[in-house]
Amino acid sequence: MPLNEEQLQQKRDERREQILSAALKVFARRGLIGTKMSMISEEAGISQGLMYRYFTSKDELFITLVERAIQGSIEGTKQIHQMPGSPLEKLTRLTEIILDEDGQLYFLLMHQVRTSDDVPEKAKALLEYASMDVYVDMLKPVFEEGQKNGELAEGDISELISCYFTVISGLMTLNIPKTQGFQLPRVELLMRMFTRL
Amino acid sequence: MPLNEEQLQQKRDERREQILSAALKVFARRGLIGTKMSMISEEAGISQGLMYRYFTSKDELFITLVERAIQGSIEGTKQIHQMPGSPLEKLTRLTEIILDEDGQLYFLLMHQVRTSDDVPEKAKALLEYASMDVYVDMLKPVFEEGQKNGELAEGDISELISCYFTVISGLMTLNIPKTQGFQLPRVELLMRMFTRL
DNA sequence: GTCTATAGCCAGATAGAC
DNA sequence: GTCTATCTGGCTATAGAC
């Protein structure tokens, strides 16, 4: 019983996802240069040659993942507006999600792009869509409300949000789960930076 | 006029330092694998071949720098006991120094060792000397005094110090000076995590 | 002591068998 | 569609000229 065209396409998409998922795991930890195609194919359980039927090069594979990482981080941050509770509760919840979530792999990937010179030009260009300003603008309404109701610290809003994202980014970048000795600070401790004294 | 043995040795040491300094700059940003010997030799302004007269391999060069990084970070942290002022003032001052200083390159190097698998076994082993416990123990007296005089937040001291170093490490790792958009948070903002409300 | 040229190895990408 | 075998280029480390 032969498969129809749609089924074939679906199988092809699944395999593509399988490769992307394996590649994300390896790229995030090891970076573009530190990753050999053989590592990805092994992680995906297929041969090296086969990957080139789905992606024309290591760079293309990498760039595809960077696109997803940026989109995912923006979508994730937007979630805060659907959350219940006061501004401080929202911020606390968002922080817990970010630090917990396995979106960490995408976070590390974006860090690779930011700090490495050996990354394709296109990946660098894509990162413009994830500038600090983008995130600051998304969180601004929440911080404004929090300042108004007295929960959040006074002061320049952009500076506060920028501080928030910088600290969170730093923590994510340390890749703590696997790093001996370091342990993720409790969210309540972190929040003290932004709450009214 | 020929140089005597001591002068020759000194000239040799200078060249060695010149190579080490160049190597630190490149390794810290690009990691062991991302760095080609030609990059280091170019940064140092010498030929590739010459480096092998001073270091037997890329790995040896890397390990030498890791040793220095660990020693430097410990020495630096110890400084806090020589500082003037109250515990909170000492901690603030230490933080400013760490974030400011060009010891950042050493910081990044240690991060490379922690997170990369492609680093020589010996470098990994050396990092044991820079475990979180080592730093916690160094800062313990200062935090104890700060809690006693009411400047610092109450709570488990090890957790507070560990949080402190984790956040600082994260910020250093982001390599902010060169990273567009990110900016180092003001130290006073960071300190709010540890001061009494 | 320093440089240039090269040997040897390793990994990305391709070709061709099944 | 998938795998194995191979081509090709680039980088570490060495050899040899000056």
Side-chain angles (χ1 to χ4, degrees):
Chain A
M1 171 157 104
L3 299 169
N4 64 32
E5 200 172 313
E6 191 181 333
Q7 286 170 318
L8 280 173
Q9 185 58 41
Q10 189 187 336
K11 246 187 118 48
R12 201 181 150 75
D13 286 348
E14 276 171 24
R15 174 122 294 182
R16 217 182 123 89
E17 289 304 318
Q18 177 190 3
I19 294 172
L20 281 166
S21 164
L24 175 59
K25 276 189 201 144
V26 188
F27 278 139
R29 268 191 54 67
R30 312 184 56 110
L32 181 62
I33 298 193
T35 298
K36 312 186 192 328
M37 289 300 260
S38 60
M39 294 172 180
I40 299 175
S41 65
E42 194 179 344
E43 177 77 34
I46 59 173
S47 72
Q48 305 169 38
L50 186 54
M51 289 195 298
Y52 289 91
R53 295 276 165 189
Y54 292 85
F55 297 91
T56 62
S57 67
K58 192 162 92 159
D59 276 7
E60 193 211 335
L61 187 45
F62 187 80
I63 288 170
T64 305
L65 286 169
V66 172
E67 281 168 354
R68 291 190 178 199
I70 291 169
Q71 179 144 22
S73 82
I74 291 176
E75 301 285 321
T77 306
K78 270 187 191 156
Q79 283 180 17
I80 197 171
H81 297 113
Q82 270 72 54
M83 289 174 185
S86 71
L88 177 58
E89 283 165 351
K90 286 181 182 177
L91 194 62
T92 303
R93 184 83 194 100
L94 177 68
T95 310
E96 284 167 350
I97 290 176
I98 294 179
L99 293 181
D100 240 43
E101 203 181 11
D102 44 18
Q104 168 159 49
L105 292 179
Y106 281 126
F107 227 100
L108 286 171
L109 193 74
M110 287 168 69
H111 179 66
Q112 303 282 2
V113 178
R114 251 189 227 101
T115 54
S116 171
D117 290 339
D118 306 308
V119 134
E121 204 48 52
K122 175 146 187 213
K124 290 272 188 203
L126 282 169
L127 214 61
E128 308 271 325
Y129 295 105
S131 77
M132 183 57 85
D133 291 345
V134 172
Y135 299 100
V136 169
D137 287 344
M138 282 191 283
L139 290 198
K140 224 168 213 165
V142 176
F143 268 74
E144 274 168 359
E145 199 192 324
Q147 285 190 330
K148 221 172 269 170
N149 77 9
E151 274 183 330
L152 295 187
E154 289 167 16
D156 181 73
I157 285 200
S158 294
E159 186 198 358
L160 284 177
I161 303 179
S162 164
C163 171
Y164 171 76
F165 267 110
T166 304
V167 169
I168 298 289
S169 300
L171 292 175
M172 293 299 278
T173 306
L174 286 179
N175 191 215
I176 288 171
K178 287 165 189 164
T179 310
Q180 300 298 343
F182 287 94
Q183 61 180 31
L184 220 43
R186 280 186 301 115
V187 175
E188 299 93 82
L189 223 44
L190 295 175
M191 283 300 122
R192 289 175 54 125
M193 275 189 286
F194 312 106
T195 52
R196 188 162 218 151
L197 295 185
Chain B
M1 171 158 106
L3 300 169
N4 64 31
E5 201 171 314
E6 192 181 332
Q7 286 168 318
L8 280 172
Q9 185 58 40
Q10 190 189 335
K11 246 186 119 47
R12 200 179 152 77
D13 286 348
E14 276 171 22
R15 176 124 288 188
R16 216 181 123 90
E17 290 304 318
Q18 177 190 3
I19 295 173
L20 281 167
S21 163
L24 175 60
K25 275 189 201 141
V26 189
F27 277 140
R29 267 190 55 68
R30 311 183 58 107
L32 180 62
I33 299 194
T35 299
K36 313 192 188 323
M37 290 299 261
S38 60
M39 295 172 180
I40 299 175
S41 66
E42 194 179 341
E43 176 77 34
I46 59 174
S47 72
Q48 306 168 37
L50 186 54
M51 289 196 297
Y52 290 90
R53 296 273 164 192
Y54 292 85
F55 297 91
T56 61
S57 68
K58 191 163 91 159
D59 277 8
E60 193 210 334
L61 186 47
F62 187 80
I63 289 169
T64 305
L65 286 169
V66 172
E67 281 167 354
R68 291 190 177 197
I70 291 169
Q71 181 144 22
S73 81
I74 291 176
E75 302 285 321
T77 307
K78 271 188 192 155
Q79 283 180 17
I80 198 173
H81 297 114
Q82 269 73 55
M83 288 172 184
S86 71
L88 177 58
E89 284 166 352
K90 286 181 182 178
L91 194 62
T92 303
R93 184 82 194 102
L94 177 68
T95 310
E96 283 167 350
I97 289 176
I98 294 180
L99 294 181
D100 240 43
E101 202 181 12
D102 44 17
Q104 169 162 47
L105 292 179
Y106 281 127
F107 228 101
L108 286 171
L109 194 74
M110 287 169 69
H111 180 65
Q112 303 281 4
V113 178
R114 251 189 227 101
T115 53
S116 169
D117 291 338
D118 307 308
V119 133
E121 204 47 54
K122 177 148 185 208
K124 289 272 188 202
L126 281 169
L127 213 62
E128 308 270 326
Y129 294 106
S131 76
M132 183 56 86
D133 291 345
V134 171
Y135 299 99
V136 169
D137 286 346
M138 282 191 284
L139 289 198
K140 225 168 213 166
V142 175
F143 269 74
E144 274 167 359
E145 199 191 325
Q147 285 190 330
K148 222 172 267 168
N149 78 8
E151 272 183 331
L152 295 186
E154 289 167 15
D156 181 72
I157 285 199
S158 295
E159 186 199 358
L160 284 177
I161 303 178
S162 164
C163 171
Y164 171 76
F165 267 109
T166 304
V167 169
I168 297 290
S169 299
L171 292 175
M172 293 298 280
T173 306
L174 286 179
N175 191 214
I176 289 171
K178 287 164 189 165
T179 311
Q180 299 297 343
F182 286 94
Q183 61 180 30
L184 220 41
R186 280 188 299 115
V187 175
E188 300 93 81
L189 223 44
L190 295 174
M191 283 299 123
R192 288 173 56 124
M193 276 190 284
F194 312 107
T195 52
R196 190 162 219 152
L197 296 185

